[in-house]
Amino acid sequence: MNVPRRTNVTKLSSTYIAEHEEKKQKAARRRRVVAVRLVVWSLLFAIFASALVYTLHSQAKAIDAKTAEQQKLKEQLAELERKEKQLKEEMKKLHDDDYIAELARKKYYLSKDGEIIFVLPEK
């Protein structure tokens, strides 16, 4: 295992050694500051990226919902236009006396003079 060994070397105390040790400490502090800055910027970037992904996902869901609603409304519009066309045709037919007579005979069992109406059961 890695057990630190004690060495019997003594450090010299000189201005060169003191300056060298001070440079080492400053470099170590700079490395720590750079590492902390890197971690902080990485976290900020991760938070920003997560917010963007969440926003894009929620907008995509909203667009899908609106697209489905639009399709549903288009189908309803087509159905209403078909009914409108059918009702307009019915209005045109109601201006015809022969159609009104036929409709009255079918719906209200009205008959002409001397005519007998038989109602047959539907299958």
Side-chain angles (χ1 to χ4, degrees):
M1 303 237 186
N2 290 336
V3 177
R5 292 184 183 176
R6 279 191 139 175
T7 58
N8 291 334
V9 178
T10 59
K11 290 186 179 183
L12 297 175
S13 59
S14 70
T15 57
Y16 173 77
I17 299 292
E19 288 174 7
H20 187 62
E21 287 295 322
E22 190 176 322
K23 283 182 184 179
K24 279 185 181 179
Q25 288 175 352
K26 283 183 182 179
R29 274 191 231 121
R30 279 192 207 123
R31 272 189 243 113
R32 248 182 288 145
V33 168
V34 168
V36 168
R37 282 184 188 165
L38 181 65
V39 168
V40 168
W41 283 108
S42 297
L43 286 174
L44 288 175
F45 178 74
I47 290 169
F48 181 70
S50 298
L52 284 178
V53 168
Y54 174 75
T55 303
L56 288 175
H57 178 68
S58 62
Q59 287 178 350
K61 281 179 70 175
I63 288 171
D64 289 343
K66 293 291 182 184
T67 304
E69 183 181 358
Q70 182 184 21
Q71 183 64 28
K72 180 181 170 187
L73 290 173
K74 280 182 180 179
E75 291 172 2
Q76 286 179 350
L77 177 64
E79 177 68 22
L80 289 174
E81 285 175 346
R82 186 186 62 77
K83 283 183 181 180
E84 179 185 22
K85 183 179 177 184
Q86 187 179 29
L87 289 173
K88 283 184 179 182
E89 288 176 10
E90 185 74 20
M91 281 176 46
K92 286 179 185 177
K93 288 180 183 179
L94 287 174
H95 291 295
D96 184 20
D97 290 337
D98 293 333
Y99 179 76
I100 293 172
E102 183 183 329
L103 186 67
R105 292 175 75 196
K106 282 183 182 176
K107 209 167 195 171
Y108 302 110
Y109 303 111
L110 297 177
S111 64
K112 295 180 182 177
D113 290 335
E115 189 177 52
I116 300 172
I117 297 177
F118 293 99
V119 180
L120 301 174
E122 295 181 19
K123 291 184 178 180

